[in-house]
Amino acid sequence: MDTKHDNGMQANRRSLLTAGLFAGGAAAVALGATTPAAAQDAAKESVLDKAIRTKKIVVAASLKYPPNLYINEKGEPDGYEIALIRRMMKDVSPDIQVEFADMDFGQMFAAVESGRADIMTTGTILPSRSLRGWFAGCAVTFQPVYVVGRDASDLTFEQMNSPEFKFAALQGSSQEAKIRALYPKANVSVFPDQTGAIGQVMSGRANATLQSLFTVVNTKKQGVALQIIGKEPAYVDHNTFFMPTGDMKMYMFVTNWLLFNAAGGILNSVFREYVGKDAIAAGLPYLAVGPGGSPLKVDA
């Protein structure tokens, strides 16, 4: 009997067993990391299976933000995110009806939580929001967010981070959260839509607002003399679709669909059609979603 060989085989078996136990333990930790609510919700029917069964999916959307989300000349929902969701659902089944439930942005997360909507158009991946549901594992947009006002003056951080400086923001938005984090001493007024926030700035009742690229582009197209303060974005938002907690099947499908279409250049192509070409015309660079969900800078 070859004792040395036999001992080596036993050691290999122990190594494989240990590796298997470690992998299984890691998987258990990953699954166990979800909240009790997530584990409970996992037993429910997936939103994806429900859509296939009923031939319908309800999407929470705020159709007030062209060219990203809006009502077109035919009276139909349109825009970059609308086009993506329609493409996505067509890949599930061509006979699924997509119903866009129009509401204020601040109501959309609650609509998904309560089941009044199956999924929602994109939101910024604020950690506090991830406690209310799941974000897809790939970006839909990387949105540069600019400080804008009536004048294109170069303001210092000290000037903006003071009680005398007034910001206007969309209520419940990531922009509101960022203003409070980046400029904690500044005064902030909130409004139910971006039009109200921009109106405050243009009327002189606020000094500035934070606006995403698509809002800046659309505002300029409408002839509003909104000016970018400074030469660079204040920061960049990572936005993606939001869905119910614990719906692993929907999460995996949406994430896979986004990664596949990002790698194939489809996300970039659709974004260029709705937003990018106008951004370039306005002299503004933008970020596309590239392979692996990574940002790709497209210069003006």
Side-chain angles (χ1 to χ4, degrees):
M1 179 177 179
D2 190 343
T3 306
K4 184 177 180 181
H5 175 71
D6 190 48
N7 288 341
M9 290 182 65
Q10 291 180 17
N12 287 339
R13 289 192 195 101
R14 285 195 296 271
S15 298
L16 289 170
L17 179 60
T18 302
L21 288 172
F22 178 81
V29 168
L31 291 173
T34 57
T35 63
Q40 183 179 11
D41 289 349
K44 295 182 179 179
E45 182 183 29
S46 169
V47 164
L48 190 62
D49 289 332
K50 177 185 172 185
I52 294 170
R53 175 174 58 81
T54 63
K55 308 300 181 186
K56 178 182 175 181
I57 189 167
V58 178
V59 181
S62 189
L63 303 173
K64 305 172 184 175
Y65 305 106
N68 203 38
L69 300 153
Y70 64 100
I71 301 293
N72 63 23
E73 296 174 352
K74 299 179 181 178
E76 300 170 344
D78 205 349
Y80 170 63
E81 294 180 32
I82 302 297
L84 287 189
I85 289 175
R86 284 181 171 146
R87 281 172 177 252
M88 184 191 301
M89 288 300 107
K90 187 176 181 180
D91 282 347
V92 176
S93 176
D95 58 355
I96 290 178
Q97 175 189 355
V98 183
E99 177 184 318
F100 293 97
D102 191 11
M103 61 187 73
D104 287 338
F105 180 82
Q107 299 174 345
M108 291 164 59
F109 293 93
V112 173
E113 282 184 292
S114 66
R116 290 184 290 115
D118 299 314
I119 190 173
M120 65 170 262
T121 52
T122 72
T124 302
I125 56 170
L126 291 177
S128 58
R129 290 174 178 169
S130 68
L131 299 174
R132 305 178 65 179
W134 284 5
F135 286 104
C138 178
V140 173
T141 60
F142 292 103
Q143 280 289 335
V145 178
Y146 296 90
V147 180
V148 292
R150 288 193 301 175
D151 303 312
S153 55
D154 290 331
L155 298 174
T156 65
F157 170 78
E158 287 73 20
Q159 288 174 313
M160 291 187 285
N161 188 37
S162 69
E164 292 75 29
F165 198 87
K166 297 180 180 179
F167 278 100
L170 172 65
Q171 187 174 22
S173 66
S174 61
Q175 287 92 339
E176 179 190 354
K178 280 289 188 177
I179 290 170
R180 298 187 189 281
L182 294 174
Y183 312 101
K185 296 180 182 179
N187 189 300
V188 185
S189 298
V190 297
F191 299 86
D193 55 50
Q194 294 285 25
T195 303
I198 293 171
Q200 282 289 108
V201 172
M202 299 312 297
S203 68
R205 291 190 291 272
N207 301 104
T209 180
L210 290 181
Q211 297 294 329
S212 297
L213 173 71
F214 62 80
T215 308
V216 174
V217 168
N218 183 62
T219 303
K220 285 181 172 293
K221 283 182 67 177
Q222 293 178 340
V224 179
L226 200 64
Q227 301 296 319
I228 293 174
I229 297 174
K231 299 177 181 178
E232 298 293 334
Y235 60 93
V236 176
D237 268 340
H238 175 133
N239 301 328
T240 194
F241 297 124
F242 183 81
M243 64 201 73
T245 297
D247 193 338
M248 182 60 76
K249 188 169 186 177
M250 187 64 170
Y251 170 85
M252 292 301 295
F253 174 76
V254 173
T255 299
N256 183 82
W257 191 92
L258 289 171
L259 288 170
F260 177 80
N261 284 279
I266 300 301
L267 298 191
N268 185 11
S269 176
V270 178
F271 189 80
R272 183 168 60 246
E273 176 187 349
Y274 281 97
V275 185
K277 62 184 180 183
D278 289 327
I280 295 299
L284 294 171
Y286 69 90
L287 293 173
V289 180
S294 60
L296 294 175
K297 186 177 181 181
V298 180
D299 290 314

